[in-house]
Amino acid sequence: MIYVTVGTGIGGGVVLDGHIYRGVDDSHPEFGHHVIDPSGPSCMCGFRGCWESLAAGPAMVMWTRSEAPPGYPYLGELSAKRICELAVEGDTLARQAVERESYYLGLGLANLVTLFTPDAIVLGGSVMKSASLFLEGIRKLIRESCKFVPWERTELSLASLGDDSNLIGAARVWHYHFASEVARCVH
Ligand SMILES: [Zn+2]
């Protein structure tokens, strides 16, 4: 399964046969920096059009700000959360921002489905607290673009641990790095 967190950035992890997948030098994949559109916005990694630069929370804010007409009343209070609220309230620009967010989230997730054919993709992070606004668009994109893999068998679900996910993950990292050492010292 693959976990994807969407907040101020996009990160994730792959669980393969019950274990966190680690690559060369114990590294982990950087989903947020796979390129979706090379003509897209600059990314903090120095390249352009990474998934994170198009679909993380700040990307939503930046796009909405750049498209806002003169006198748009919500400019001073924009955050991904606020944009989602405005979309629910029917604000046209916020609805477009949500549509764009669904599209770019969907592109990245469709790539993961095509590349990994996972049993499940679990979505977490602050932006995913508004997942109900994006899921339909995401599913549509996966349906349309993952033609050569059994995309319908990949379960798309939301993280059940909520805000505790990061803390539990951090504790697991500590355990992975140090617990065996501690055990050695004790014995
Ligand atoms: Zn990047």
Side-chain angles (χ1 to χ4, degrees):
M1 62 82 82
I2 296 178
Y3 175 68
V4 175
T5 176
V6 186
T8 52
I10 297 182
V14 180
V15 177
L16 200 60
D17 297 331
H19 298 282
I20 291 271
Y21 166 78
R22 291 173 195 275
V24 64
D25 205 18
D26 257 2
S27 59
H28 63 93
E30 285 286 352
F31 295 142
H33 297 278
H34 86 280
V35 175
I36 298 279
D37 176 4
S39 63
S42 298
C43 181
M44 48 88 82
C45 72
F47 209 60
R48 301 187 80 89
C50 296
W51 194 19
E52 177 172 308
S53 75
L54 288 158
M60 238 182 139
V61 174
M62 213 182 319
W63 182 85
T64 308
R65 225 172 241 146
S66 70
E67 296 296 313
Y72 184 65
Y74 309 110
L75 266 188
E77 55 187 273
L78 288 182
S79 64
K81 180 171 181 259
R82 184 71 185 119
I83 293 167
C84 290
E85 286 168 3
L86 288 167
V88 171
E89 290 165 21
D91 180 77
T92 306
L93 183 62
R95 287 176 88 128
Q96 287 168 350
V98 162
E99 202 174 307
R100 178 183 179 276
E101 176 70 7
S102 307
Y103 175 73
Y104 283 117
L105 282 175
L107 278 182
L109 291 170
N111 286 345
L112 296 183
V113 171
T114 296
L115 290 168
F116 289 90
T117 57
D119 289 320
I121 296 181
V122 179
L123 301 167
S126 57
V127 172
M128 282 303 149
K129 287 182 177 165
S130 307
S132 59
L133 298 177
F134 310 124
L135 282 178
E136 198 186 316
I138 289 171
R139 290 205 168 97
K140 179 171 180 282
L141 226 135
I142 290 175
R143 192 168 57 239
E144 287 172 354
S145 67
C146 300
K147 290 281 194 282
F148 290 118
V149 295
W151 57 268
E152 70 281 6
R153 303 287 302 276
T154 295
E155 186 188 337
L156 208 57
S157 58
L158 300 178
S160 58
L161 297 171
D163 290 338
D164 290 339
S165 306
N166 296 351
L167 192 61
I168 293 167
R172 292 284 297 176
V173 169
W174 185 91
H175 191 263
Y176 174 80
H177 279 297
F178 301 114
S180 52
E181 249 169 67
V182 171
R184 257 201 314 278
C185 291
V186 169
H187 295 114

